[in-house]
Amino acid sequence: MRYNEKELQALSRQPAEMAAELGMRGPKKGSVLKRRLVKLVVNFLFYFRTDEAEPVGALLLERCRVIREEPGTFSISFIEDPERKYHFECSSEEQCQEWMEALRQASYEFMRRSLIFYRNEIRKVTGKVCAGLQRAGVGLQVARVGLQVAGVGLQVAEAVLRPWLMATRPPHRTPWNSSAYPRRPGSS
């Protein structure tokens, strides 16, 4: 997969869903544990030297496994090459659990499964099908901030669900709605 370096750097500056200084060891043999600022943005895990603003690298969290190794540590490996593991060491067991859960939920596959699940739940409750959610398998659009990730085609857009959610809500009266105020007899 090809990425534009400037787009990735811009993405790395976006607000993080999670960020912390963790111990990190790369997949190379003989690699030592180093302190890195680790930042989760959408489905990318960026890692920085603790004294630098530009990322040293990034992991695209697709087709990967997050595995608990020892207490307070976990690893990320990719399905294509399961022996190539990135190891992370957290300061506490709670922090380790939080990171593992967030990383598992960051992938496109997880968002797609969640979207399909919630689409089916909404259909059960309302009996309506959202046309914007019908294309879940092709060009998945997820309810989050408007963001197109590295030309992959994953569009994360709050605007997709907003019209549908508004259509499924019961109408309500607001001071700006003329039907909120009854008309006086004889007035037009």
Side-chain angles (χ1 to χ4, degrees), residues 42-113:
V42 189
N43 62 343
F44 281 92
L45 186 66
F46 293 97
Y47 50 99
F48 303 77
R49 289 189 181 94
T50 55
D51 59 345
E52 293 183 9
E54 297 300 320
V56 175
L59 300 175
L60 176 61
L61 299 172
E62 299 302 333
R63 300 182 45 80
C64 68
R65 288 197 171 101
V66 179
I67 303 165
R68 180 181 168 76
E69 295 291 330
E70 297 171 8
T73 65
F74 65 91
S75 68
I76 299 174
S77 63
F78 295 89
I79 294 172
E80 292 82 21
D81 191 3
E83 297 302 314
R84 185 176 169 89
K85 289 184 180 182
Y86 293 83
H87 296 270
F88 296 88
E89 184 178 278
C90 301
S91 59
S92 69
E93 187 59 34
E94 293 79 27
Q95 184 186 36
C96 185
Q97 292 296 328
E98 288 174 12
W99 272 99
M100 289 174 59
E101 186 65 24
L103 294 171
R104 287 179 180 139
Q105 293 178 2
S107 74
Y108 173 89
E109 289 121 13
F110 179 84
M111 288 188 274
R112 181 178 182 278
R113 284 192 309 265

Side-chain angles (χ1 to χ4, degrees), residues 178 181-188:
S178 63
Y181 303 101
R183 294 184 184 210
R184 285 183 256 164
S187 67
S188 50

Side-chain angles (χ1 to χ4, degrees), residues 163-174:
W164 183 79
L165 289 172
M166 297 306 282
T168 60
R169 289 185 187 162
H172 63 281
R173 292 182 167 191
T174 65

